Amino acid sequence: MRLIKYGHACVGVEKDGRRLVLDPGGLTDPRVLDGADAVLVTHEHFDHFSEENLRRAAEANPALRIWTDASVAGRLDGLGGRVTAVGHGEAFEAAGFGVEVHGTWHEILHPDIPRIGNVGFLVDGTLFHPGDALTVPETPVDTLLLPVHGPWSTTGRLIDYVREVAPRHVYAIHDGALNDTGLALVGGLLGAAGPGTGAPYDRLAVGTGVDLPSASAQPTA
């Protein structure tokens, strides 16, 4: 399975000629959906979900399927059975990828701001995209996609989160609002110069990818 970063919170995974796209929001080039077989959306915020782009992609590709939380599914009315609302504890197959759903809520922005739903997706038992939440799956995670910047987090919390999930490797996502200075600061604290998370940290450039081990190739405890 190959992981490709498409910008901000959006990534794609490819395997055996099939392509799954996660969180193609408004900060990502809409062409990322060209040729996609399936889409997963963690929650309704614009940087993760673009109704316009998803509807356009669904019109261009009648075979495209979308899995997401109930709120986003409700905004994609008219696409019928091509959109499936999922929640914590569910499992399904999307374009040949096995997917498990972990988590229910977005991280708290502020007590005065209503909390929204957020589901995380574990793909093929190895790659976890938490959306805008610090959900710890109830199963081992090989590769964690870490949301490194948001109004609801601090880098200190992220360090503790990575330690709790205990993945083999961490790749940065949700970094579209950081300039070069911010990227360097966060990367230093999450990387070898920081207090340590127990897992190597990397940031993929937009459009680049890396091959991931299969779940069956992961070492057992």
Side-chain angles (χ1 to χ4, degrees), residues 119-135:
V119 292
F121 296 108
L122 180 65
V123 180
D124 268 3
T126 182
L127 175 70
F128 185 56
H129 190 314
D132 279 2
L134 301 183
T135 301

Side-chain angles (χ1 to χ4, degrees), residues 5-26:
K5 184 172 182 179
Y6 290 124
H8 192 58
C10 181
V11 300
V13 287
E14 299 178 351
K15 180 182 70 173
D16 300 331
R18 300 183 300 273
R19 189 159 68 92
L20 176 66
V21 176
L22 294 88
D23 278 8

Side-chain angles (χ1 to χ4, degrees), residues 86-107:
V86 293
H88 176 71
E90 295 188 58
F92 56 93
E93 184 175 295
F97 296 88
V99 182
E100 298 176 8
V101 184
H102 296 269
T104 303
W105 295 105
H106 191 289
E107 288 295 311

Side-chain angles (χ1 to χ4, degrees), residues 35-105:
D37 298 292
V39 176
L40 308 179
V41 179
T42 62
H43 67 286
E44 66 188 57
H45 284 159
F46 86 98
D47 53 334
H48 297 256
F49 166 58
S50 169
E51 179 180 348
E52 177 184 359
N53 292 341
L54 275 180
R55 286 190 180 276
R56 185 183 298 117
E59 181 179 355
N61 177 11
L64 183 68
R65 292 284 309 277
I66 302 165
W67 285 264
T68 184
D69 77 334
S71 177
V72 173
R75 292 173 57 179
L76 292 172
D77 60 303
L79 294 181
R82 299 169 62 187
V83 178
T84 303
V86 293
H88 176 71
E90 295 188 58
F92 56 93
E93 184 175 295
F97 296 88
V99 182
E100 298 176 8
V101 184
H102 296 269
T104 303
W105 295 105

